[in-house]
Every structure is written in structure tokens, then in C-alpha cells.
């Protein structure tokens, strides 16, 4: 027999990528812009929006303009998108995850993005004139600053949470990068 399909619509979802979208506040900003411009969307994640269908070039242009006014920008090259994904995975792990990684950060990143770490490292370094390792350290230092300022947390808890080898290592890296001590 034949099957009868009723009310089946095949929609095309469109992913767009946004640079400098690294926090919950950024997601809320992008959501507000999409709603103001009446652009239907399915989901908003750090650096990525899934639209509920294609948009016109005029809508894309208006959306890009609104983002630019807020210090964000649409990205379209594969390399730029991959670099932004690398940054977002690192930011999510360091700033938003409560769990410690069960594996080496490079293995985690390679697994998460489905590329070899060597490839990710080359793409990142060429694009950013820096290394993934330096970006990780920079994010950890930002997290340390934030937690020291806003949370009642000990250096030992920080060392454990951010996976430093010791409090001394954490303190030394913080001093080297900020010129300040952790106390």
C-alpha cells in the first residue's frame, strides 16, 4: 500500500554565525534584534543562530547593521566560523561549565569540533596571530578575575575548578598576565 502524507512541510533551516557573541547577555541582545526585525528563529546559541527558514538579503543586511551597532558582526567564511566555534567551546568550558574535563583540553576540543587538534591549532593561529593555548589562559585569567571579584571562593577552589596544577601556578600565571596578585 501507499502511505498518505498530510500536512508535511519541509522547511529549510538556516544557520548564521555571529562574532563576539560570548555570553548570555549577547544571546539576549541577538534575540531582541531578531524579534524587533520579525525574523523567525528556532534557537540562539553562543555564536550561532538557527533561523526558521531563509531570509532576504535586505533582512540579512538590516540584521548585520543592527548587530554591528552593538559590537557584533555576521561571519561567513568557513575559517572565521571555525575560529569562532573554537573560541565559543573554550568560553563555554571555562566560564559556564561546572564540570571538570575528564580529558586533555586539546582532545576535548578536537572531539567537540570534529577536527584534529593540529588542524584547529593551525587555523586558529593563522587567523588570530595567537595560539589556542594563549586564548585558554586568557579566558582562565578572566574567569579568575570574575570569581575573585564576585564570588566567595578560595584559591584552592579556583585551582581545582579551572584545572590548574597548583595554587602557585594559578597565582604565578595571574600575576604574569595582570601584574596583580590573587590576594
Amino acid at each position: 500500500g501507499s502511505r498518505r502524507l498530510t500536512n508535511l512541510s519541509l522547511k529549510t533551516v538556516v544557520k548564521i554565525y555571529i562574532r563576539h557573541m560570548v555570553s548570555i547577555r549577547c544571546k539576549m541582545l541577538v534575540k531582541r534584534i531578531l524579534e524587533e526585525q520579525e525574523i523567525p528563529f528556532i534557537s540562539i546559541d553562543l555564536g550561532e543562530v538557527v533561523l526558521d527558514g531563509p531570509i532576504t538579503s535586505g533582512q540579512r543586511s538590516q540584521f548585520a547593521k543592527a548587530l554591528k551597532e552593538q559590537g557584533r558582526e555576521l561571519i561567513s567564511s568557513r575559517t572565521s566560523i571555525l575560529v569562532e566555534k573554537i573560541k565559543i567551546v573554550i568560553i563555554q568550558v571555562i566560564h559556564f561549565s561546572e564540570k571538570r574535563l575528564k580529558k586533555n583540553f586539546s582532545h576535548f576540543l578536537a572531539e567537540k569540533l570534529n577536527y584534529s587538534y593540529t588542524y584547529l591549532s593551525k587555523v586558529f593561529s593563522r587567523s588570530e596571530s595567537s595560539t589556542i593555548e594563549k586564548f585558554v589562559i586568557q579566558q582562565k585569567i578572566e574567569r579568575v578575575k570574575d570569581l575573585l571579584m564576585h564570588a566567595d571562593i578560595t584559591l584552592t577552589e579556583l585551582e581545582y575548578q579551572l584545572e590548574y596544577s597548583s595554587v602557585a601556578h594559578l597565582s604565578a600565571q595571574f600575576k604574569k598576565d595582570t601584574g596583580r596578585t590573587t590576594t
Side-chain angles (χ1 to χ4, degrees):
S2 68
R3 290 186 178 192
R4 196 168 147 231
L5 299 176
T6 55
N7 295 332
L8 178 67
S9 67
L10 299 174
K11 282 192 174 183
T12 305
V13 296
V14 176
K15 283 187 179 182
I16 54 175
Y17 299 92
I18 303 170
R19 186 182 323 273
H20 309 304
M21 189 174 160
V22 295
S23 69
I24 294 167
R25 191 175 56 81
C26 294
K27 287 170 61 173
M28 290 170 32
L29 170 76
V30 169
K31 181 178 186 223
R32 182 179 52 79
I33 293 170
L34 288 166
E35 288 171 345
E36 285 172 0
Q37 296 188 2
E38 298 179 358
I39 298 173
F41 60 93
I42 295 170
S43 65
I44 302 172
D45 209 344
L46 296 181
E48 180 181 285
V49 175
V50 178
L51 299 177
D52 191 11
I55 58 175
T56 66
S57 61
Q59 285 175 306
R60 187 178 182 88
S61 177
Q62 283 298 106
F63 183 60
K65 182 181 176 196
L67 285 173
K68 195 138 193 110
E69 289 170 359
Q70 299 297 325
R72 312 290 177 282
E73 67 180 290
L74 287 178
I75 49 179
S76 55
S77 83
R78 286 178 181 238
T79 300
S80 296
I81 290 168
L82 183 56
V83 168
E84 201 64 20
K85 285 181 176 182
I86 292 167
K87 289 179 176 180
I88 287 166
V89 168
I90 292 167
I91 288 167
Q92 285 175 326
V93 168
I94 293 173
H95 293 273
F96 300 108
S97 179
E98 297 297 318
K99 295 181 205 163
R100 288 176 56 93
L101 290 178
K102 302 260 188 287
K103 57 186 89 163
N104 178 308
F105 206 98
S106 57
H107 288 106
F108 174 79
L109 201 55
E111 192 175 279
K112 185 89 171 157
L113 295 174
N114 222 11
Y115 289 98
S116 77
Y117 184 75
T118 303
Y119 177 73
L120 293 173
S121 182
K122 283 180 185 173
V123 167
F124 191 92
S125 295
R126 268 191 233 126
S127 174
E128 297 297 303
S129 301
S130 185
T131 65
I132 289 175
E133 293 79 9
K134 286 182 181 173
F135 186 77
V136 168
I137 290 168
Q138 177 188 17
Q139 292 307 308
K140 283 183 173 185
I141 295 301
E142 288 304 312
R143 184 72 177 139
V144 168
K145 285 183 200 173
D146 189 46
L147 289 171
L148 285 175
M149 192 180 314
H150 298 105
D152 186 23
I153 191 166
T154 68
L155 288 178
T156 303
E157 290 168 326
L158 271 176
E159 171 235 329
Y160 178 79
Q161 184 177 339
L162 294 172
E163 300 185 34
Y164 278 92
S165 56
S166 67
V167 170
H169 180 224
L170 164 66
S171 297
Q173 195 168 67
F174 188 84
K175 174 115 172 127
K176 178 182 170 202
D177 283 34
T178 67
R180 302 184 343 231
T181 63
T182 52
T183 53

